[in-house]
Amino acid sequence: MSDMDIPQIYLVTPPNFELTGFGAQLAAVLDAYPIACLRLALASRDEDDLARAADHLREIAHARDIPLVMSEHIKLVERLGLDGVHLLDGSRSTRKTRADLGGDAIIGCFCANSRHDGMNAGEMGADYISFGPVGDTSLGDGSRAEDDLFAWWSQMIELPVVAEGALTLADIERLAPITDFFAIGEEIWRKDDPVAALKTLLSPLG
């Protein structure tokens, strides 16, 4: 696999974290490995909590020329000077979000395992489509985005595709030829040393 073919890494925050401690961990990961994009994926619905986290992480990410997107909260993206939004509702709000945020914003759409949703989101202005989970998980209904979805997408669709959810070494190795990005989050943040965990997880990429 040539350097041009190696998938890029899209880093996702944990759903809950303490700002100062996580900021130091995040900076260490960003300095240790090339990261294409960072997603703030807080579970909190408190606007002040989200704003404080976004302000803190934006400084860390932008100092390294890494774009920061936020899950779901479209209205906060512009207010907080973020680079875009990661939508979780398939293609349902893509068109309106593109109209609201304009052409320069990054808009990504999580489409679970639906090829149809992914294609619709692309036609409505998404910059990337995310499918998952790709690994085994008991969360939700346990369904997965299977390898053939990524294989078909990589052959037929030019829009970048992201593989995410319960990633393992085996998943990374298997999907590397047929995805553009791996979105990695809880796989490393729950470890004592996220930098070492990321290095191990990405070892199949060389």
Side-chain angles (χ1 to χ4, degrees), residues 6 14-15 23 25 39 49 59 62 70 72-73 75 88 98 100 120 129 137 142 145 153-154 190 195 200-202:
I6 295 174
Q25 281 189 322
R39 183 197 308 164
D49 287 347
E59 289 187 16
H62 284 185
M70 174 182 276
E72 297 186 87
H73 306 294
K75 294 297 184 184
L88 302 177
R98 177 57 73 195
D100 289 346
N120 282 345
I129 303 303
T137 177
W153 191 275
S154 67
R190 59 176 173 251
V195 172
T200 299
L201 188 61
L202 298 181

PDB file of all heavy atoms in Angstrom, residues 6 14-15 23 25 39 49 59 62 70 72-73 75 88 98 100 120 129 137 142 145 153-154 190 195 200-202:
ATOM      1  N   ILE A   6      -2.891   5.098   2.069  1.00  0.00           N
ATOM      2  CA  ILE A   6      -3.068   4.868   3.500  1.00  0.00           C
ATOM      3  C   ILE A   6      -4.177   5.776   4.040  1.00  0.00           C
ATOM      4  O   ILE A   6      -4.137   6.991   3.858  1.00  0.00           O
ATOM      5  CB  ILE A   6      -1.747   5.134   4.259  1.00  0.00           C
ATOM      6  CG1 ILE A   6      -0.695   4.123   3.833  1.00  0.00           C
ATOM      7  CG2 ILE A   6      -1.977   5.051   5.768  1.00  0.00           C
ATOM      8  CD1 ILE A   6       0.680   4.384   4.420  1.00  0.00           C
ATOM      9  N   PRO A  14     -13.735  11.563  23.611  1.00  0.00           N
ATOM     10  CA  PRO A  14     -14.659  10.741  24.396  1.00  0.00           C
ATOM     11  C   PRO A  14     -15.949  11.512  24.674  1.00  0.00           C
ATOM     12  O   PRO A  14     -15.977  12.745  24.532  1.00  0.00           O
ATOM     13  CB  PRO A  14     -13.890  10.464  25.691  1.00  0.00           C
ATOM     14  CG  PRO A  14     -12.710  11.339  25.693  1.00  0.00           C
ATOM     15  CD  PRO A  14     -12.548  11.954  24.358  1.00  0.00           C
ATOM     16  N   PRO A  15     -17.022  10.833  25.088  1.00  0.00           N
ATOM     17  CA  PRO A  15     -18.281  11.524  25.342  1.00  0.00           C
ATOM     18  C   PRO A  15     -18.258  12.390  26.594  1.00  0.00           C
ATOM     19  O   PRO A  15     -19.075  13.303  26.729  1.00  0.00           O
ATOM     20  CB  PRO A  15     -19.294  10.380  25.479  1.00  0.00           C
ATOM     21  CG  PRO A  15     -18.483   9.184  25.837  1.00  0.00           C
ATOM     22  CD  PRO A  15     -17.157   9.368  25.187  1.00  0.00           C
ATOM     23  N   GLY A  23      -7.153  17.841  27.616  1.00  0.00           N
ATOM     24  CA  GLY A  23      -6.423  18.713  26.699  1.00  0.00           C
ATOM     25  C   GLY A  23      -4.966  18.302  26.569  1.00  0.00           C
ATOM     26  O   GLY A  23      -4.400  18.294  25.466  1.00  0.00           O
ATOM     27  N   GLN A  25      -3.750  15.243  27.137  1.00  0.00           N
ATOM     28  CA  GLN A  25      -3.729  13.970  26.413  1.00  0.00           C
ATOM     29  C   GLN A  25      -3.915  14.185  24.913  1.00  0.00           C
ATOM     30  O   GLN A  25      -3.219  13.586  24.087  1.00  0.00           O
ATOM     31  CB  GLN A  25      -4.850  13.056  26.917  1.00  0.00           C
ATOM     32  CG  GLN A  25      -4.574  12.341  28.216  1.00  0.00           C
ATOM     33  CD  GLN A  25      -5.645  11.303  28.492  1.00  0.00           C
ATOM     34  OE1 GLN A  25      -6.833  11.515  28.220  1.00  0.00           O
ATOM     35  NE2 GLN A  25      -5.249  10.171  29.036  1.00  0.00           N
ATOM     36  N   ARG A  39     -13.047  15.620  16.040  1.00  0.00           N
ATOM     37  CA  ARG A  39     -14.484  15.781  16.282  1.00  0.00           C
ATOM     38  C   ARG A  39     -14.760  15.884  17.782  1.00  0.00           C
ATOM     39  O   ARG A  39     -14.362  15.013  18.547  1.00  0.00           O
ATOM     40  CB  ARG A  39     -15.264  14.595  15.727  1.00  0.00           C
ATOM     41  CG  ARG A  39     -16.792  14.723  15.878  1.00  0.00           C
ATOM     42  CD  ARG A  39     -17.502  13.385  15.708  1.00  0.00           C
ATOM     43  NE  ARG A  39     -17.103  12.718  14.480  1.00  0.00           N
ATOM     44  CZ  ARG A  39     -17.335  11.421  14.248  1.00  0.00           C
ATOM     45  NH1 ARG A  39     -17.951  10.674  15.151  1.00  0.00           N
ATOM     46  NH2 ARG A  39     -16.940  10.870  13.121  1.00  0.00           N
ATOM     47  N   ASP A  49     -21.246  23.882  28.830  1.00  0.00           N
ATOM     48  CA  ASP A  49     -20.237  22.827  28.823  1.00  0.00           C
ATOM     49  C   ASP A  49     -19.677  22.621  27.421  1.00  0.00           C
ATOM     50  O   ASP A  49     -18.459  22.488  27.232  1.00  0.00           O
ATOM     51  CB  ASP A  49     -20.840  21.505  29.319  1.00  0.00           C
ATOM     52  CG  ASP A  49     -21.096  21.491  30.812  1.00  0.00           C
ATOM     53  OD1 ASP A  49     -20.583  22.386  31.510  1.00  0.00           O
ATOM     54  OD2 ASP A  49     -21.815  20.585  31.271  1.00  0.00           O
ATOM     55  N   GLU A  59      -8.442  25.790  20.349  1.00  0.00           N
ATOM     56  CA  GLU A  59      -7.091  26.348  20.471  1.00  0.00           C
ATOM     57  C   GLU A  59      -6.035  25.277  20.232  1.00  0.00           C
ATOM     58  O   GLU A  59      -5.040  25.503  19.533  1.00  0.00           O
ATOM     59  CB  GLU A  59      -6.895  26.971  21.854  1.00  0.00           C
ATOM     60  CG  GLU A  59      -7.676  28.253  22.068  1.00  0.00           C
ATOM     61  CD  GLU A  59      -7.317  28.917  23.390  1.00  0.00           C
ATOM     62  OE1 GLU A  59      -6.277  28.569  23.968  1.00  0.00           O
ATOM     63  OE2 GLU A  59      -8.091  29.786  23.831  1.00  0.00           O
ATOM     64  N   HIS A  62      -6.406  24.100  16.318  1.00  0.00           N
ATOM     65  CA  HIS A  62      -6.042  25.117  15.337  1.00  0.00           C
ATOM     66  C   HIS A  62      -4.567  25.505  15.423  1.00  0.00           C
ATOM     67  O   HIS A  62      -3.965  25.899  14.416  1.00  0.00           O
ATOM     68  CB  HIS A  62      -6.940  26.342  15.490  1.00  0.00           C
ATOM     69  CG  HIS A  62      -8.312  26.139  14.927  1.00  0.00           C
ATOM     70  ND1 HIS A  62      -9.258  27.135  14.863  1.00  0.00           N
ATOM     71  CD2 HIS A  62      -8.904  25.043  14.393  1.00  0.00           C
ATOM     72  CE1 HIS A  62     -10.367  26.657  14.311  1.00  0.00           C
ATOM     73  NE2 HIS A  62     -10.171  25.393  14.030  1.00  0.00           N
ATOM     74  N   MET A  70     -17.946  19.618  15.290  1.00  0.00           N
ATOM     75  CA  MET A  70     -18.746  19.252  16.461  1.00  0.00           C
ATOM     76  C   MET A  70     -19.892  18.348  16.040  1.00  0.00           C
ATOM     77  O   MET A  70     -20.515  18.576  14.999  1.00  0.00           O
ATOM     78  CB  MET A  70     -19.302  20.518  17.126  1.00  0.00           C
ATOM     79  CG  MET A  70     -20.275  20.264  18.268  1.00  0.00           C
ATOM     80  SD  MET A  70     -20.929  21.805  18.980  1.00  0.00           S
ATOM     81  CE  MET A  70     -19.623  22.219  20.128  1.00  0.00           C
ATOM     82  N   GLU A  72     -23.505  17.232  15.854  1.00  0.00           N
ATOM     83  CA  GLU A  72     -24.911  17.623  15.975  1.00  0.00           C
ATOM     84  C   GLU A  72     -25.214  19.114  16.055  1.00  0.00           C
ATOM     85  O   GLU A  72     -26.102  19.592  15.374  1.00  0.00           O
ATOM     86  CB  GLU A  72     -25.552  16.974  17.207  1.00  0.00           C
ATOM     87  CG  GLU A  72     -25.605  15.473  17.201  1.00  0.00           C
ATOM     88  CD  GLU A  72     -26.382  14.982  18.394  1.00  0.00           C
ATOM     89  OE1 GLU A  72     -27.628  14.876  18.271  1.00  0.00           O
ATOM     90  OE2 GLU A  72     -25.764  14.724  19.452  1.00  0.00           O
ATOM     91  N   HIS A  73     -24.525  19.868  16.898  1.00  0.00           N
ATOM     92  CA  HIS A  73     -25.010  21.184  17.317  1.00  0.00           C
ATOM     93  C   HIS A  73     -24.661  22.265  16.280  1.00  0.00           C
ATOM     94  O   HIS A  73     -23.722  23.045  16.438  1.00  0.00           O
ATOM     95  CB  HIS A  73     -24.453  21.526  18.694  1.00  0.00           C
ATOM     96  CG  HIS A  73     -24.746  20.464  19.714  1.00  0.00           C
ATOM     97  ND1 HIS A  73     -26.031  20.181  20.136  1.00  0.00           N
ATOM     98  CD2 HIS A  73     -23.934  19.589  20.347  1.00  0.00           C
ATOM     99  CE1 HIS A  73     -25.989  19.189  21.011  1.00  0.00           C
ATOM    100  NE2 HIS A  73     -24.733  18.812  21.152  1.00  0.00           N
ATOM    101  N   LYS A  75     -25.996  25.103  15.335  1.00  0.00           N
ATOM    102  CA  LYS A  75     -26.020  26.520  15.693  1.00  0.00           C
ATOM    103  C   LYS A  75     -24.764  26.952  16.452  1.00  0.00           C
ATOM    104  O   LYS A  75     -24.360  28.114  16.388  1.00  0.00           O
ATOM    105  CB  LYS A  75     -27.262  26.840  16.531  1.00  0.00           C
ATOM    106  CG  LYS A  75     -28.577  26.680  15.788  1.00  0.00           C
ATOM    107  CD  LYS A  75     -28.674  27.657  14.627  1.00  0.00           C
ATOM    108  CE  LYS A  75     -30.030  27.563  13.946  1.00  0.00           C
ATOM    109  NZ  LYS A  75     -30.102  28.445  12.757  1.00  0.00           N
ATOM    110  N   LEU A  88     -25.729  13.261  12.714  1.00  0.00           N
ATOM    111  CA  LEU A  88     -25.976  11.888  13.152  1.00  0.00           C
ATOM    112  C   LEU A  88     -27.292  11.323  12.630  1.00  0.00           C
ATOM    113  O   LEU A  88     -27.684  10.228  13.020  1.00  0.00           O
ATOM    114  CB  LEU A  88     -25.967  11.829  14.689  1.00  0.00           C
ATOM    115  CG  LEU A  88     -24.679  12.297  15.366  1.00  0.00           C
ATOM    116  CD1 LEU A  88     -24.827  12.252  16.883  1.00  0.00           C
ATOM    117  CD2 LEU A  88     -23.488  11.459  14.918  1.00  0.00           C
ATOM    118  N   ARG A  98     -26.168  22.566   5.009  1.00  0.00           N
ATOM    119  CA  ARG A  98     -25.283  23.200   4.011  1.00  0.00           C
ATOM    120  C   ARG A  98     -25.747  24.621   3.727  1.00  0.00           C
ATOM    121  O   ARG A  98     -24.930  25.539   3.625  1.00  0.00           O
ATOM    122  CB  ARG A  98     -25.270  22.363   2.719  1.00  0.00           C
ATOM    123  CG  ARG A  98     -24.445  22.971   1.591  1.00  0.00           C
ATOM    124  CD  ARG A  98     -22.994  23.203   2.010  1.00  0.00           C
ATOM    125  NE  ARG A  98     -22.235  21.964   2.108  1.00  0.00           N
ATOM    126  CZ  ARG A  98     -21.064  21.867   2.719  1.00  0.00           C
ATOM    127  NH1 ARG A  98     -20.521  22.943   3.290  1.00  0.00           N
ATOM    128  NH2 ARG A  98     -20.419  20.714   2.796  1.00  0.00           N
ATOM    129  N   ASP A 100     -27.369  26.558   5.803  1.00  0.00           N
ATOM    130  CA  ASP A 100     -27.137  27.370   7.000  1.00  0.00           C
ATOM    131  C   ASP A 100     -25.667  27.723   7.194  1.00  0.00           C
ATOM    132  O   ASP A 100     -25.337  28.854   7.571  1.00  0.00           O
ATOM    133  CB  ASP A 100     -27.637  26.628   8.248  1.00  0.00           C
ATOM    134  CG  ASP A 100     -29.155  26.555   8.324  1.00  0.00           C
ATOM    135  OD1 ASP A 100     -29.822  27.301   7.575  1.00  0.00           O
ATOM    136  OD2 ASP A 100     -29.668  25.733   9.111  1.00  0.00           O
ATOM    137  N   ASN A 120     -27.627   9.828  -0.656  1.00  0.00           N
ATOM    138  CA  ASN A 120     -28.471  11.020  -0.549  1.00  0.00           C
ATOM    139  C   ASN A 120     -27.717  12.167   0.125  1.00  0.00           C
ATOM    140  O   ASN A 120     -27.801  13.320  -0.322  1.00  0.00           O
ATOM    141  CB  ASN A 120     -29.742  10.708   0.247  1.00  0.00           C
ATOM    142  CG  ASN A 120     -30.767   9.960  -0.574  1.00  0.00           C
ATOM    143  OD1 ASN A 120     -30.675   9.898  -1.802  1.00  0.00           O
ATOM    144  ND2 ASN A 120     -31.745   9.376   0.093  1.00  0.00           N
ATOM    145  N   ILE A 129     -18.921  10.807   4.224  1.00  0.00           N
ATOM    146  CA  ILE A 129     -19.933   9.919   4.778  1.00  0.00           C
ATOM    147  C   ILE A 129     -19.239   8.971   5.752  1.00  0.00           C
ATOM    148  O   ILE A 129     -18.170   8.440   5.455  1.00  0.00           O
ATOM    149  CB  ILE A 129     -20.628   9.093   3.674  1.00  0.00           C
ATOM    150  CG1 ILE A 129     -21.247  10.008   2.618  1.00  0.00           C
ATOM    151  CG2 ILE A 129     -21.680   8.168   4.280  1.00  0.00           C
ATOM    152  CD1 ILE A 129     -22.243  11.004   3.135  1.00  0.00           C
ATOM    153  N   THR A 137     -20.132  -5.041  18.468  1.00  0.00           N
ATOM    154  CA  THR A 137     -20.578  -4.266  19.607  1.00  0.00           C
ATOM    155  C   THR A 137     -21.974  -4.713  20.019  1.00  0.00           C
ATOM    156  O   THR A 137     -22.764  -5.155  19.175  1.00  0.00           O
ATOM    157  CB  THR A 137     -20.593  -2.758  19.286  1.00  0.00           C
ATOM    158  OG1 THR A 137     -21.100  -2.034  20.415  1.00  0.00           O
ATOM    159  CG2 THR A 137     -21.439  -2.444  18.075  1.00  0.00           C
ATOM    160  N   GLY A 142     -26.862  -3.869  17.538  1.00  0.00           N
ATOM    161  CA  GLY A 142     -25.768  -4.790  17.238  1.00  0.00           C
ATOM    162  C   GLY A 142     -25.427  -4.906  15.768  1.00  0.00           C
ATOM    163  O   GLY A 142     -24.505  -5.651  15.397  1.00  0.00           O
ATOM    164  N   ALA A 145     -21.695  -2.058   9.923  1.00  0.00           N
ATOM    165  CA  ALA A 145     -21.435  -1.674   8.536  1.00  0.00           C
ATOM    166  C   ALA A 145     -20.433  -2.681   7.989  1.00  0.00           C
ATOM    167  O   ALA A 145     -19.290  -2.733   8.439  1.00  0.00           O
ATOM    168  CB  ALA A 145     -20.880  -0.258   8.471  1.00  0.00           C
ATOM    169  N   TRP A 153     -18.470   1.319  -1.991  1.00  0.00           N
ATOM    170  CA  TRP A 153     -18.347   2.774  -1.960  1.00  0.00           C
ATOM    171  C   TRP A 153     -17.010   3.229  -2.553  1.00  0.00           C
ATOM    172  O   TRP A 153     -16.965   4.175  -3.345  1.00  0.00           O
ATOM    173  CB  TRP A 153     -18.486   3.272  -0.518  1.00  0.00           C
ATOM    174  CG  TRP A 153     -18.640   4.766  -0.412  1.00  0.00           C
ATOM    175  CD1 TRP A 153     -17.649   5.705  -0.383  1.00  0.00           C
ATOM    176  CD2 TRP A 153     -19.876   5.499  -0.330  1.00  0.00           C
ATOM    177  NE1 TRP A 153     -18.172   6.967  -0.289  1.00  0.00           N
ATOM    178  CE2 TRP A 153     -19.542   6.864  -0.254  1.00  0.00           C
ATOM    179  CE3 TRP A 153     -21.219   5.124  -0.300  1.00  0.00           C
ATOM    180  CZ2 TRP A 153     -20.508   7.874  -0.157  1.00  0.00           C
ATOM    181  CZ3 TRP A 153     -22.179   6.113  -0.205  1.00  0.00           C
ATOM    182  CH2 TRP A 153     -21.823   7.472  -0.137  1.00  0.00           C
ATOM    183  N   SER A 154     -15.943   2.567  -2.179  1.00  0.00           N
ATOM    184  CA  SER A 154     -14.615   2.977  -2.655  1.00  0.00           C
ATOM    185  C   SER A 154     -14.469   2.795  -4.164  1.00  0.00           C
ATOM    186  O   SER A 154     -13.707   3.507  -4.812  1.00  0.00           O
ATOM    187  CB  SER A 154     -13.521   2.204  -1.919  1.00  0.00           C
ATOM    188  OG  SER A 154     -13.555   0.827  -2.253  1.00  0.00           O
ATOM    189  N   ARG A 190      -9.822   5.167  26.381  1.00  0.00           N
ATOM    190  CA  ARG A 190     -10.046   4.367  27.585  1.00  0.00           C
ATOM    191  C   ARG A 190      -8.772   3.653  28.045  1.00  0.00           C
ATOM    192  O   ARG A 190      -8.778   2.955  29.070  1.00  0.00           O
ATOM    193  CB  ARG A 190     -11.169   3.355  27.366  1.00  0.00           C
ATOM    194  CG  ARG A 190     -10.950   2.389  26.238  1.00  0.00           C
ATOM    195  CD  ARG A 190     -12.090   1.365  26.194  1.00  0.00           C
ATOM    196  NE  ARG A 190     -11.986   0.513  25.020  1.00  0.00           N
ATOM    197  CZ  ARG A 190     -12.821   0.573  23.988  1.00  0.00           C
ATOM    198  NH1 ARG A 190     -13.813   1.437  23.981  1.00  0.00           N
ATOM    199  NH2 ARG A 190     -12.671  -0.246  22.967  1.00  0.00           N
ATOM    200  N   VAL A 195      -1.462   7.588  23.380  1.00  0.00           N
ATOM    201  CA  VAL A 195      -0.486   7.642  22.284  1.00  0.00           C
ATOM    202  C   VAL A 195      -0.019   6.234  21.924  1.00  0.00           C
ATOM    203  O   VAL A 195       0.008   5.842  20.746  1.00  0.00           O
ATOM    204  CB  VAL A 195       0.708   8.538  22.652  1.00  0.00           C
ATOM    205  CG1 VAL A 195       1.806   8.429  21.591  1.00  0.00           C
ATOM    206  CG2 VAL A 195       0.271   9.992  22.793  1.00  0.00           C
ATOM    207  N   THR A 200      -0.340   1.273  18.492  1.00  0.00           N
ATOM    208  CA  THR A 200      -0.623  -0.160  18.364  1.00  0.00           C
ATOM    209  C   THR A 200      -1.779  -0.412  17.399  1.00  0.00           C
ATOM    210  O   THR A 200      -1.701  -1.281  16.526  1.00  0.00           O
ATOM    211  CB  THR A 200      -0.957  -0.756  19.735  1.00  0.00           C
ATOM    212  OG1 THR A 200       0.170  -0.601  20.607  1.00  0.00           O
ATOM    213  CG2 THR A 200      -1.306  -2.226  19.621  1.00  0.00           C
ATOM    214  N   LEU A 201      -2.846   0.363  17.548  1.00  0.00           N
ATOM    215  CA  LEU A 201      -4.032   0.172  16.720  1.00  0.00           C
ATOM    216  C   LEU A 201      -3.726   0.400  15.249  1.00  0.00           C
ATOM    217  O   LEU A 201      -4.278  -0.272  14.374  1.00  0.00           O
ATOM    218  CB  LEU A 201      -5.145   1.109  17.187  1.00  0.00           C
ATOM    219  CG  LEU A 201      -6.522   0.939  16.564  1.00  0.00           C
ATOM    220  CD1 LEU A 201      -7.088  -0.448  16.860  1.00  0.00           C
ATOM    221  CD2 LEU A 201      -7.474   2.022  17.056  1.00  0.00           C
ATOM    222  N   LEU A 202      -2.835   1.350  14.970  1.00  0.00           N
ATOM    223  CA  LEU A 202      -2.540   1.700  13.579  1.00  0.00           C
ATOM    224  C   LEU A 202      -1.349   0.949  13.009  1.00  0.00           C
ATOM    225  O   LEU A 202      -0.940   1.215  11.874  1.00  0.00           O
ATOM    226  CB  LEU A 202      -2.300   3.212  13.484  1.00  0.00           C
ATOM    227  CG  LEU A 202      -3.469   4.098  13.861  1.00  0.00           C
ATOM    228  CD1 LEU A 202      -3.119   5.557  13.692  1.00  0.00           C
ATOM    229  CD2 LEU A 202      -4.728   3.758  13.076  1.00  0.00           C
TER     230      LEU A 202
END
